[in-house]
Amino acid sequence: MSLHGNLLEPDDTRLPVDPAAAELDGGADPAAVAAAHPSSSIAWAVLAERALQSGETVAAYAYARTGYHRALDQLRRNGWKGFGPVPWSHEPNRGYLRSCGALLRAAAAIDETAEVERLRTLIADSDPAALAALGID
């Protein structure tokens, strides 16, 4: 076994710490956090998850889509080329993965089947452990 792993597979992408996460952990209102930190994928993910819990599917879809796109921007700025590992175990990556999970759930609620399958594949390709962590079959 090589110490370098699979040389054909890209390195893990590990996002930097998101300052909004500490505010959310401290009990700040997610809407206020998203307004103060619009590039924070975790703030949008939390808004999406809460909207899903409240039955506000369209709002959840919009929040999750925003978090997903903000996360894609962050991933690309940090060397991600559109594929490769984005580990759930690295806490700052969870805004991206939670946004994807919320978007998958919202897409399922409006019967957007192709989007559900695309997101399931994207999450599994990022980190198969994320599917279980997000409660996705």
Side-chain angles (χ1 to χ4, degrees), residues 104 115-124 131 136-137:
L104 183 151
E115 182 72 346
V116 169
E117 292 311 313
R118 184 188 72 77
L119 287 160
R120 185 183 316 280
T121 300
L122 180 63
I123 295 167
L131 290 170
I136 298 169
D137 300 332

Side-chain angles (χ1 to χ4, degrees), residues 73-97:
D73 292 342
Q74 294 167 353
L75 287 165
R76 289 182 187 113
R77 279 194 302 272
N78 285 277
W80 189 71
K81 304 291 185 208
F83 63 93
V86 183
W88 173 265
S89 62
H90 182 66
E91 185 90 23
N93 289 349
R94 292 186 185 174
Y96 160 66
L97 295 163

Side-chain angles (χ1 to χ4, degrees), residues 22-121:
E23 293 178 34
L24 293 166
D25 290 344
D29 173 44
V33 174
H37 304 278
S39 64
S40 170
S41 59
I42 192 64
W44 293 107
V46 170
L47 285 170
E49 292 164 349
R50 288 190 177 184
L52 282 168
Q53 290 172 349
S54 299
E56 300 171 53
T57 305
V58 173
Y61 188 97
Y63 291 142
R65 178 71 63 190
T66 300
Y68 166 76
H69 282 287
R70 292 300 188 148
L72 291 179
D73 292 342
Q74 294 167 353
L75 287 165
R76 289 182 187 113
R77 279 194 302 272
N78 285 277
W80 189 71
K81 304 291 185 208
F83 63 93
V86 183
W88 173 265
S89 62
H90 182 66
E91 185 90 23
N93 289 349
R94 292 186 185 174
Y96 160 66
L97 295 163
R98 286 174 63 182
S99 290
C100 288
L103 185 55
L104 183 151
R105 285 187 172 83
I110 61 172
D111 294 324
E112 194 177 5
T113 307
E115 182 72 346
V116 169
E117 292 311 313
R118 184 188 72 77
L119 287 160
R120 185 183 316 280
T121 300

